[in-house]
């Protein structure tokens, strides 16, 4: 019985190196099809622009950020490659989770902290990551991973800055994780 | 010859359909590799789970080599493949802020959508934060527009920046990754943590 449990646990997730090769092939396909890599934060920006445009159209006519966005991305921000790709991510994640029996509504957190604390930190982390992804012109997917695949200097800088900072700060947030 | 859309081999609408299908593959692989769990993602920073490093670097190398070989075979025109611009200060500044967000929130944008898709409420809250963060950036744009646009360096490849060919540079990245994988395997044994 114990042996069986162990085997089940081992096969819980894909072998990370195999997962990496598959992810690399997805990224290669993106470049082959569209001439661009993968991304995530760009789709959020599209959604934010579309939302603000709906709620306060007069504001987007004036504010510099939305004007620059319209000039570089066109008028309909939701009809973008990254928006469709991120819709796919939600479907793909759900399919994998369903096949592996991982669909479950829950707040995942260390038993040493409350779920309230986990959610508070998730919100703060999200705000910082959202802001930083705009300042850094892309997140872990669009700038670091896709940038590295095309050997871009910016991609390697993003990767080093993101992971380096998280490592440097890990000590201060250890209670949340270990 | 690729990229398909640049060569007008597919229409814009087909491109968007393919974006959706590629996204499914992206989300599926992320979830299957364990990127839907903030516990596994944060593990790299404490040594107990290095799945992020293994998947991330294997993927970067696979795509990097794939592009170089595709170019060699004449299947893709690398001059038409998008290379990210480099703005030195905002790349570092943005990266530092994202790194802080990563260790606090336990996700990055792509992984948070993937985690939310299987029911993780912490990921959903993180996504709420992402929208707020982007909105704050957009609304306060005049305040940081100068910093955002300073130190533009063009669209350099790191290989030409350090004076190596793409192939030699890719080879060095592979060697570096193998070294990191070795350390990662060691760290996972050295700093184990109970699952929750």
């Amino acid at each position: 019985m114990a042996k069986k449990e162990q085997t089940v646990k081992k096969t819980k997730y894909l072998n990370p190196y195999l997962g990496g090769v598959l992810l690399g092939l997805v990224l290669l396909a993106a470049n082959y099809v569209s001439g661009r890599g993968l991304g995530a934060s760009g789709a959020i920006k599209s959604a934010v622009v579309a939302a603000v445009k709906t709620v306060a159209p007069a504001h987007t006519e004036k504010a510099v950020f939305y004007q620059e966005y319209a000039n570089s991305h066109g008028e309909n921000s939701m009809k973008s490659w990254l928006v469709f790709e991120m819709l796919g991510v939600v479907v793909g994640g759900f399919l994998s989770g369903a096949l592996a029996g991982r669909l479950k509504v829950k707040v995942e957190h260390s038993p040493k902290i409350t779920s309230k604390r986990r959610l508070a930190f998730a919100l703060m982390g999200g705000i910082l990551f959202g802001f930083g992804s705009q300042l850094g012109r892309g997140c872990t997917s669009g700038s670091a991973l896709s940038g590295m695949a095309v050997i871009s200097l910016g991609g390697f800088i993003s990767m080093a800055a993101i992971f380096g900072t998280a490592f440097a700060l890990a000590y201060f947030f250890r209670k949340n994780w270990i | 010859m690729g990229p398909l859309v640049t060569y007008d081999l597919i229409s814009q609408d087909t491109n968007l359909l393919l974006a959706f299908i590629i996204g499914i593959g992206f989300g599926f692989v992320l979830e299957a590799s364990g990127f839907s769990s903030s516990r596994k993602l944060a593990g790299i920073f404490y040594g107990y789970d290095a799945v992020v490093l293994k998947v991330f670097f294997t993927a970067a190398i696979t795509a990097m080599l794939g592009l170089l070989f595709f170019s060699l075979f004449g299947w893709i025109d690398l001059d038409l493949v998008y290379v990210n611009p480099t703005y030195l200060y905002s790349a570092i500044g943005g990266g530092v802020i994202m790194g802080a967000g990563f260790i606090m929130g336990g996700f990055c944008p792509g992984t948070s959508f993937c985690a939310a898709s299987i029911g993780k409420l912490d990921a959903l809250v993180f996504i709420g934060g992402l929208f707020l963060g982007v909105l704050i950036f957009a609304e306060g744009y005049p305040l940081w527009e100068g910093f955002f646009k300073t130190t533009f360096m063009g669209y350099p490849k790191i290989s030409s920046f350090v004076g190596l060919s793409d192939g030699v540079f890719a080879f060095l990245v592979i060697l570096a990754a193998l070294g990191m994988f070795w350390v990662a395997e060691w760290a996972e044994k050295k700093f184990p943590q109970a699952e929750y």
Side-chain angles (χ1 to χ4, degrees), chain A residues 93-116:
Chain A
F94 179 83
L95 285 177
S96 166
L99 287 174
R102 280 194 287 268
L103 296 183
K104 193 177 178 206
V105 176
K106 66 168 175 181
V107 178
E108 187 182 48
H109 64 89
S110 159
K112 290 177 191 159
I113 61 168
T114 61
S115 60
K116 212 170 165 184

Side-chain angles (χ1 to χ4, degrees), chain B residues 23-190:
Chain B
I24 293 178
F26 186 23
F28 194 99
V29 176
L30 285 182
E31 206 292 322
S33 305
F35 281 33
S36 52
S37 160
S38 57
R39 183 197 169 275
K40 282 183 79 68
L41 292 169
I44 180 65
F45 303 115
Y46 302 97
Y48 63 80
D49 194 329
V51 65
V52 168
L53 182 131
K54 297 178 195 171
V55 173
F56 188 89
F57 272 90
T58 313
I61 289 167
T62 304
M64 194 186 286
L65 283 183
L67 285 171
L68 291 176
F69 277 111
F70 272 32
S71 163
L72 191 67
F73 301 152
W75 294 350
I76 195 165
D77 186 347
L78 282 188
D79 291 336
L80 298 177
V81 170
Y82 178 80
V83 175
N84 315 45
T86 301
Y87 292 77
L88 185 61
Y89 288 0
S90 54
I92 296 174
V96 165
I97 295 172
M98 285 189 269
F102 202 167
I103 197 67
M104 290 167 78
F107 289 113
C108 62
T111 53
S112 66
F113 275 80
C114 172
S117 78
I118 65 159
K120 297 278 167 72
L121 296 174
D122 40 332
L124 209 55
V125 170
F126 185 89
I127 293 173
L130 288 176
F131 277 88
L132 272 175
V134 174
L135 185 67
I136 292 169
F137 184 86
E139 292 301 323
Y141 188 57
L143 295 173
W144 29 77
E145 190 184 352
F147 184 73
F148 181 62
K149 289 179 178 167
T150 187
T151 55
F152 177 54
M153 298 167 68
Y155 301 79
K157 285 194 166 190
I158 189 170
S159 45
S160 37
F161 189 75
V162 294
L164 294 170
S165 74
D166 288 356
V168 170
F169 186 81
F171 181 67
L172 292 179
V173 173
I174 293 172
L175 290 185
L178 287 176
M180 286 190 290
F181 294 157
W182 186 80
V183 174
E185 299 291 348
W186 169 82
E188 285 180 349
K189 285 190 193 78
K190 172 96 180 167

Side-chain angles (χ1 to χ4, degrees), chain A residues 63-124:
Chain A
V64 189
F65 181 83
Y66 303 99
Q67 285 309 304
E68 285 190 5
Y69 185 88
N71 289 338
S72 57
H73 293 76
E75 283 300 314
N76 186 357
S77 67
M78 292 307 278
K79 202 182 170 184
S80 87
W81 204 91
L82 288 178
V83 169
F84 281 82
E85 179 233 63
M86 283 309 290
L87 292 173
V89 165
V90 174
V91 175
F94 179 83
L95 285 177
S96 166
L99 287 174
R102 280 194 287 268
L103 296 183
K104 193 177 178 206
V105 176
K106 66 168 175 181
V107 178
E108 187 182 48
H109 64 89
S110 159
K112 290 177 191 159
I113 61 168
T114 61
S115 60
K116 212 170 165 184
R117 180 185 162 109
R118 168 72 189 115
L119 293 178
F121 273 93
L123 181 66
M124 283 188 282

